[in-house]
Amino acid sequence: MANSGPFYGIVGRAYRGGFVSMRIALILVLGALGTGVAGFMLLEGYSLDQAFYMTVITISTVGYGEVQPLDAKGRLFTSVLILLNIGVFAYLLSAFTYFVVQGEIFKNLHSRRMERSIDKLESHIILCGYGRHGKEAASHFRLHNLPFVVIEKDPEAVEELQANQDLYISDDATHDDVLQRAGIQRARALVTALPDDTENVFTVLSAREMNPKVDIIARAYRHKSERKLRLAGADHVILPEQIGGFYMATLITKPNTVEFFNYLTNETTSDIGFEELSAEDIPDTMKGQAIRDLGIRPATGANIIGIKHADGHYTVNPG
């Protein structure tokens, strides 16, 4: 799915650093204004509006005439005020330039838009990790127009996500607050394909605790990690090497069958495909009836080729 958009990414360290610099600069400017107003009122007896006007034209070095002639103390105070504010305005200009040159303002706007887009997601997929397997999963989601958000902290991977206009969070998926920002409570599934089994275990534990109903698919590098991931709450554990070996072996024994099923599962334009229907989605009026009495094939052209029972076993080509 080509998502538009939150954090979209997420405000990073660079933005926070630039924001702090801007805040310090603004505090210094306000402090200079306050000092100038107070000084002119105490030393020269100016009214509040006169002191404010005099302070503004002084620190901005506009060069307009004085409201009232200054005495020696007033001229000394004005000179010091000008010298001090040369540094203040230089710092303000530097901080503002950093914001513009580094694109922090636009990054912040982008992050806010991304945040709002992610907050609107419902029944979406959270993809943790945008490595080799994560990219393959994301391409499948885009192909089938499935809403998803990616959690990835690698800058290069984030740039690729930006180029694809995907929703993403630039952060660590093992942190609970990051999963919350990704909408774990509203998600239908979570896929964790992080580069380390320990990180995948932590992510699964957090996700399962925050959403007991979410479907969790985890990748494992080592066989011994499979049990830990299942204990942590993963519904499915994928070992890429094992699946890859099985796929290659099957291509030797049943090459045409593998290619046919691969075609069906990836085809989006034809009227042939496999779909999975949960018993919970069946209308109440259809429950308890025989397949023959439902008239599914005459009405829709679809065939029921298998049933998975509550105990986990399958009935293939049910009568």
Side-chain angles (χ1 to χ4, degrees):
M1 174 182 179
N3 300 298
S4 60
F7 247 112
Y8 253 41
I10 300 303
V11 179
R13 293 189 185 94
Y15 168 74
R16 288 193 290 268
F19 180 78
V20 170
S21 298
M22 282 294 296
R23 185 168 59 181
I24 292 174
L26 292 175
I27 290 173
L28 289 174
V29 171
L30 292 176
L33 284 171
T35 301
V37 171
F40 283 120
M41 291 179 69
L42 293 174
L43 296 175
E44 296 297 328
Y46 286 177
S47 64
L48 178 60
D49 62 322
Q50 290 176 329
F52 178 77
Y53 174 76
M54 191 66 184
T55 301
V56 171
I57 66 174
T58 299
I59 64 179
S60 62
T61 64
V62 172
Y64 290 138
E66 301 167 355
V67 176
Q68 297 178 14
L70 299 172
D71 57 19
K73 291 181 180 179
R75 287 193 293 272
L76 178 61
F77 174 75
T78 302
S79 300
V80 173
L81 187 63
I82 292 174
L83 291 174
L84 289 176
N85 281 280
I86 290 175
V88 171
F89 272 88
Y91 184 82
L92 176 63
L93 181 62
S94 175
F96 181 76
T97 302
Y98 173 83
F99 250 56
V100 174
V101 173
Q102 297 295 327
E104 298 302 326
I105 290 178
F106 302 104
K107 288 180 183 177
N108 184 35
L109 293 175
H110 175 68
S111 295
R112 297 298 182 188
R113 288 196 299 269
M114 188 81 72
E115 259 184 79
R116 290 193 291 268
S117 298
I118 292 178
D119 290 341
K120 294 177 182 178
L121 291 177
E122 295 284 347
S123 299
H124 58 290
I125 302 167
I126 299 175
L127 175 59
C128 302
Y130 197 67
R132 290 177 302 169
H133 299 95
K135 290 178 182 179
E136 187 65 27
S139 65
H140 181 82
F141 299 154
R142 296 187 199 103
L143 180 65
H144 294 275
N145 293 318
L146 299 175
F148 69 97
V149 56
V150 180
I151 302 177
E152 175 57 62
K153 58 184 178 180
D154 180 66
E156 292 185 3
V158 169
E159 289 183 4
E160 186 173 337
L161 289 167
Q162 291 175 338
N164 291 329
Q165 294 186 321
D166 292 322
L167 293 180
Y168 69 91
I169 297 177
S170 179
D171 216 317
D172 191 338
T174 62
H175 296 166
D176 291 359
D177 65 306
V178 177
L179 291 176
Q180 289 175 350
R181 281 161 29 198
I184 184 63
Q185 288 87 357
R186 308 184 308 275
R188 60 179 282 195
L190 179 140
V191 178
T192 175
L194 297 173
D196 183 79
D197 285 351
T198 303
E199 292 181 340
N200 286 321
V201 170
F202 276 120
T203 303
V204 171
L205 278 170
S206 298
R208 179 57 68 206
E209 181 182 8
M210 288 186 279
N211 187 347
K213 296 182 179 180
V214 68
D215 190 23
I216 299 178
I217 299 94
R219 185 188 68 173
Y221 281 97
R222 298 179 297 273
H223 283 273
K224 64 180 181 180
S225 299
E226 180 178 2
R227 180 175 176 274
K228 295 178 181 178
L229 285 164
R230 291 192 179 277
L231 288 174
D235 297 289
H236 311 279
V237 178
I238 306 300
L239 290 104
E241 290 77 11
Q242 184 182 64
I243 293 178
F246 173 79
Y247 188 84
M248 287 187 289
T250 308
L251 280 172
I252 294 175
T253 58
K254 302 175 182 178
N256 294 320
T257 302
V258 172
E259 291 182 5
F260 176 69
F261 277 96
N262 186 58
Y263 166 78
L264 289 182
T265 54
N266 289 280
E267 178 62 31
T268 59
T269 58
S270 72
D271 58 354
I272 301 176
F274 284 103
E275 296 295 337
E276 180 178 318
L277 181 66
S278 172
E280 298 176 355
D281 299 327
I282 298 176
D284 292 336
T285 55
M286 299 177 65
K287 292 181 179 179
Q289 298 188 45
I291 293 177
R292 176 181 54 212
D293 297 332
L294 295 176
I296 294 176
R297 183 170 184 178
T300 67
N303 293 309
I304 299 178
I305 62 172
I307 298 176
K308 182 179 180 181
H309 299 272
D311 59 2
H313 82 276
Y314 289 87
T315 298
V316 180
N317 193 26

